[in-house]
């Protein structure tokens, strides 16, 4: 791009996570014990997991609507699934965020009031931050991760979940409007979070997916996240910076400035 008398090279550099850190922590004995405690609390059911900041862009209300519709459409889900939502506090002094929290609380109450039985509560949620070990236990335990952002630049939760799925038995339900869709969309169950029926259908599809298909998809997702980790991202970014001088010399006049601040063509050799 020619900008203000110089050439700027633009590129897409999708950030990754420290895959090995998440994978190794998920296999830790302490995390394993936390997984067992969570299973004791939630019962022998498939756990649908949401991990989000309290933010309107995350599609929290739309997610609950989709889950409610899934329960309404399919009685086989009753007492066999639990939605566990980890909601991390954010901007609590902003009126719109407090309003969103109240809406979320009301919807959770409505769903639990409508479908709960003596032995089963369909929605559990924690409004707090958790330790890395607790987060890893949630990721490892969850049969399905619901990443239903209305708009997200990347969404690293989707990648953290895959890295933590050391048993490779989970399903990623991923919004079509999350940036990570471009990398993970082939093996995730994609969904338009604005479409309640589509979200409900995606939840049912994920829950009832057979074990072989789960493992095939999750192993491919984990390979993808491992291959494009944060170190891959850093190397690509730095390589692009180092290669930029050559690009500028090829496309720009001699007096054009490079990103390093030197005039293109000014170096000897």
């Amino acid at each position: 791009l020619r900008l203000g008398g110089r050439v700027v090279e633009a590129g897409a550099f999708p950030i990754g996570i420290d895959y090995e850190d998440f994978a190794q922590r998920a296999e830790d004995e302490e995390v394993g014990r936390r997984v067992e405690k969570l299973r004791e609390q939630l019962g022998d059911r498939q756990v649908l997991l949401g991990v989000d900041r309290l933010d309107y862009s995350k599609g929290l209300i739309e997610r609950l609507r989709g889950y409610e519709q899934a329960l309404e459409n399919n009685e086989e889900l009753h007492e066999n699934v639990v939605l566990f939502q980890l909601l991390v506090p954010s901007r609590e002094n902003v009126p719109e965020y407090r309003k969103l929290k109240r809406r979320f609380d009301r919807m959770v109450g409505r769903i639990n009031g409508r479908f709960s039985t003596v032995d089963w509560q369909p929605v559990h949620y924690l409004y707090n931050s958790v330790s890395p070990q607790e987060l890893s236990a949630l990721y490892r335990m969850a049969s399905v991760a619901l990443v239903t952002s209305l708009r997200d630049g990347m969404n690293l939760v989707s990648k953290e979940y895959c890295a933590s799925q050391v048993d490779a038995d989970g399903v990623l339900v991923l919004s079509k409007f999350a940036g990570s869709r471009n990398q993970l969309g082939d093996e995730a169950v994609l969904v338009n979070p604005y479409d309640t029926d589509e979200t409900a259908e995606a939840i049912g599809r994920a829950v009832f997916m057979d074990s072989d298909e789960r493992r095939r998809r999750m192993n491919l997702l984990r390979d993808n996240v491992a291959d494009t980790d944060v170190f891959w991202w850093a190397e690509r970014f730095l390589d692009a910076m180092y290669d930029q001088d050559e690009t500028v010399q090829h496309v720009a006049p001699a007096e054009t400035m490079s990103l390093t601040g030197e005039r293109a063509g000014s170096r000897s050799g």
Side-chain angles (χ1 to χ4, degrees):
L1 305 175
R2 296 184 183 277
L3 180 66
R6 63 194 180 100
V7 168
V8 177
E9 183 173 332
F13 302 92
I15 193 168
I17 63 169
D18 188 342
Y19 174 88
E20 290 298 331
D21 180 62
F22 278 92
Q24 290 175 10
R25 185 164 57 246
E27 293 181 319
D28 185 77
E29 290 184 4
E30 180 185 351
V31 170
R33 288 191 293 269
R34 290 173 184 264
V35 169
E36 292 304 315
K37 288 183 179 179
L38 284 168
R39 292 197 182 281
E40 289 176 7
Q41 296 171 11
L42 298 174
D44 187 21
R45 302 180 173 97
Q46 288 204 48
V47 176
L48 315 179
L49 177 66
V51 176
D52 306 88
R53 288 182 298 107
L54 178 65
D55 192 282
Y56 59 87
S57 69
K58 300 301 181 181
L60 298 166
I61 301 301
E62 290 77 9
R63 181 180 307 163
L64 289 178
R65 287 174 181 157
Y67 181 55
E68 183 177 26
Q69 188 67 45
L71 294 175
E72 185 176 307
N73 292 348
N74 198 329
E75 290 191 5
E76 289 186 56
L77 296 177
H78 295 196
E79 302 197 23
N80 291 316
V81 299
V82 171
L83 170 60
F84 187 96
Q85 177 66 53
L86 173 61
L87 201 56
V88 179
S90 175
R91 300 178 177 89
E92 294 179 283
N93 294 326
V94 178
E96 288 300 319
Y97 285 77
R98 293 199 299 268
K99 182 180 178 181
L100 175 61
K101 173 67 164 49
R102 289 194 297 270
R103 287 186 65 196
F104 186 85
D105 289 346
R106 286 197 298 268
M107 286 199 69
V108 168
R110 187 183 76 200
I111 294 170
N112 282 339
R114 182 180 177 190
F115 294 102
S116 289
T117 66
V118 173
D119 300 317
W120 173 62
Q121 181 174 307
V123 183
H124 296 248
Y125 95 92
L126 176 64
Y127 184 62
N128 206 347
S129 299
V130 298
S131 70
Q133 289 74 23
E134 289 170 324
L135 182 60
S136 287
L138 287 169
Y139 282 147
R140 180 175 172 180
M141 172 196 62
S143 300
V144 179
L146 299 177
V147 179
T148 56
S149 313
L150 303 180
R151 182 66 65 181
D152 237 333
M154 176 54 69
N155 192 290
L156 295 182
V157 165
S158 57
K159 297 188 175 187
E160 293 171 2
Y161 172 70
C162 295
S164 304
Q165 274 285 303
V166 293
D167 302 313
D169 196 35
V171 180
L172 175 63
V173 175
L174 181 62
S175 169
K176 296 174 181 177
F177 308 119
S180 58
R181 174 257 173 94
N182 291 333
Q183 291 177 293
L184 307 180
D186 287 345
E187 304 304 333
V189 175
L190 293 178
V191 64
N192 176 356
Y194 293 96
D195 188 329
T196 300
D197 290 333
E198 185 176 316
T199 303
E201 182 181 352
I203 289 172
R205 180 183 173 193
V207 169
F208 296 118
M209 187 178 293
D210 67 73
S211 180
D212 288 343
E213 181 70 4
R214 283 171 172 263
R215 292 182 184 280
R216 184 190 70 80
R217 287 171 175 264
M218 184 50 66
N219 281 323
L220 289 172
L221 285 168
R222 299 188 80 232
D223 288 345
N224 187 324
V225 175
D227 290 342
T228 59
D229 65 3
V230 70
F231 304 105
W232 168 88
W233 167 80
E235 288 172 4
R236 285 190 68 221
F237 193 86
L238 292 173
D239 286 347
M241 291 179 64
Y242 293 141
D243 292 343
Q244 202 272 336
D245 278 338
E246 181 179 345
T247 302
V248 169
Q249 291 179 34
H250 177 70
V251 301
E255 293 301 307
T256 299
M257 300 294 287
S258 75
L259 289 179
T260 63
E262 298 179 81
R263 294 187 184 279
S266 63
R267 292 181 178 179
S268 60

